[in-house]
């Protein structure tokens, strides 16, 4: 399992364990699964998907390290 934390300027949007995360990277969508290689990436406008939930974003960044995924995003209205 992955430990996911999604933070926006307004609040902590989500924190908890998930099986997979799909994020809108600059080169297209990519999936983060258990034991993903460490990465820091800029996110573009799109939708973050995790465990049957969707969060529209305008942009942000993602960091993955040792099954901990941190997203700092600007939510889309």
């Amino acid at each position: 399992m992955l430990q996911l934390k999604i933070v926006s300027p307004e609040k902590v949007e989500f924190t908890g364990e998930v099986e997979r995360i799909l994020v809108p990277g600059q080169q297209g969508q990519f999936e983060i699964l258990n034991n993903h290689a460490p990465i820091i990436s800029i996110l573009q406008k799109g939708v973050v998907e995790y465990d049957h939930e969707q969060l529209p974003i305008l942009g942000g960044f993602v960091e993955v390290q040792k099954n901990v995924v941190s997203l700092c995003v600007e939510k889309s209205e």
Side-chain angles (χ1 to χ4, degrees), residues 25-52:
Q26 284 191 312
Q27 304 297 317
Q29 283 192 328
F30 65 93
E31 187 173 40
I32 301 166
L33 298 170
N34 202 31
N35 296 320
H36 194 284
I39 186 174
I40 295 176
S41 180
I42 295 173
L43 302 177
Q44 65 180 11
K45 183 177 180 178
V47 177
V48 174
E49 296 180 31
Y50 56 96
D51 286 358
H52 310 293

Side-chain angles (χ1 to χ4, degrees), residues 17-73:
E17 288 188 340
V18 299
E19 295 214 9
R20 61 179 282 280
I21 306 154
L22 191 64
V23 294
Q26 284 191 312
Q27 304 297 317
Q29 283 192 328
F30 65 93
E31 187 173 40
I32 301 166
L33 298 170
N34 202 31
N35 296 320
H36 194 284
I39 186 174
I40 295 176
S41 180
I42 295 173
L43 302 177
Q44 65 180 11
K45 183 177 180 178
V47 177
V48 174
E49 296 180 31
Y50 56 96
D51 286 358
H52 310 293
E53 299 290 330
Q54 295 188 342
L55 179 66
I57 65 168
L58 295 175
F61 70 89
V62 60
E63 178 184 20
V64 180
Q65 191 163 14
K66 297 182 181 176
N67 292 326
V68 176
V69 182
S70 301
L71 276 80
C72 182
V73 300

